[in-house]
Amino acid sequence: MTESAPDRQPGERSAVAAIRDAIVRGEFVPNQRLVEADLSDRFGASRATVRAALIELTNEGLIERVQNRGARVRAVSLEEAVEISEVRMMLESLCAAKAAERVSDAEVGELRELGERMQAAVAGGDVVGYSGLNQRLHRRIREISGQRTAAQVLERLRGQSVRHQFRLAMRPGRPQVSLPEHLAIIDAICAHRPEQAAEAARAHLGSVIEALKAADAEVSPLHS
């Protein structure tokens, strides 16, 4: 875990990004206490900078502050994860449509290559690799769309629901279900078909919501 500590001396923005990334990657788990002194040492930032970063991340919903106990990673319930996915459905369909309108020939080639790599990962049983490519595809669609406001909101939502996303990604058979959904989004964007791209994105997030509910139903007896 210590290998992710940056060499640079980050300012407040960099500290926010570094702590956020650690939460998104699952290095800090739900309900884990976040100690300012430890974070200061890990990320090479002052205590004041870390304190300000924790306040910002609290506003984003990634962290919660408990009276007399400091800050900890906020746990997100299944119900909230479903709500987040419903919001993502609307915003990601918007980004997919915008991307279909704006995508360049070079970006078409990039998206096609990502699709081929995702197919290879699924065929080879590389679940972790597929999960990483999945995240990269969604990020590139947001970037190509040029819809910065939606992209910023989606990045925050992704961080809040990362634990549920990881559980879902590791579920047996899930990549085989989501792969054709992602390929449909790629095809529509590359064909410059905004309405089709938006519908493919909505279909994918609808599938995510149903899979979240199914996965929780299977493991709920093991959780409080």
Side-chain angles (χ1 to χ4, degrees), residues 200-221:
R202 282 192 292 270
H204 170 55
L205 268 299
S207 170
V208 168
I209 290 169
E210 293 307 312
L212 279 172
K213 293 177 179 178
D216 186 79
E218 290 176 3
V219 301
S220 57

Side-chain angles (χ1 to χ4, degrees), residues 93-104 107-108 111 141 144-146 185-198:
S93 63
L94 169 65
C95 288
K98 292 286 187 180
E101 294 173 355
R102 296 166 52 96
V103 68
S104 68
E107 289 164 342
V108 165
L111 293 178
I141 292 172
I144 293 169
S145 76
I185 298 172
I186 292 173
D187 286 343
I189 291 174
C190 292
H192 301 279
R193 296 178 179 172
E195 292 184 7
Q196 186 176 331

Side-chain angles (χ1 to χ4, degrees), residues 38-86:
D38 294 343
L39 296 174
S40 178
D41 290 342
R42 173 170 177 168
F43 297 113
S46 69
R47 292 280 294 273
T49 297
V50 167
R51 189 174 303 116
L54 291 177
I55 291 172
E56 181 166 340
L57 291 170
T58 299
N59 293 335
E60 290 186 15
L62 288 178
I63 289 172
E64 62 182 354
R65 312 211 38 116
V66 182
Q67 188 173 9
N68 300 323
R69 300 190 66 179
R72 68 183 183 186
V73 178
R74 191 170 73 87
V76 175
S77 67
L78 169 73
E79 291 76 12
E80 188 172 357
V82 169
E83 290 181 6
I84 288 171
S85 296
E86 290 172 342

Side-chain angles (χ1 to χ4, degrees), residues 1-11 14-15 18 25 39-46:
M1 290 172 61
T2 56
E3 63 183 10
S4 63
D7 295 328
R8 66 185 184 281
Q9 296 292 317
S14 296
R25 290 193 301 266
L39 296 174
S40 178
D41 290 342
R42 173 170 177 168
F43 297 113
S46 69

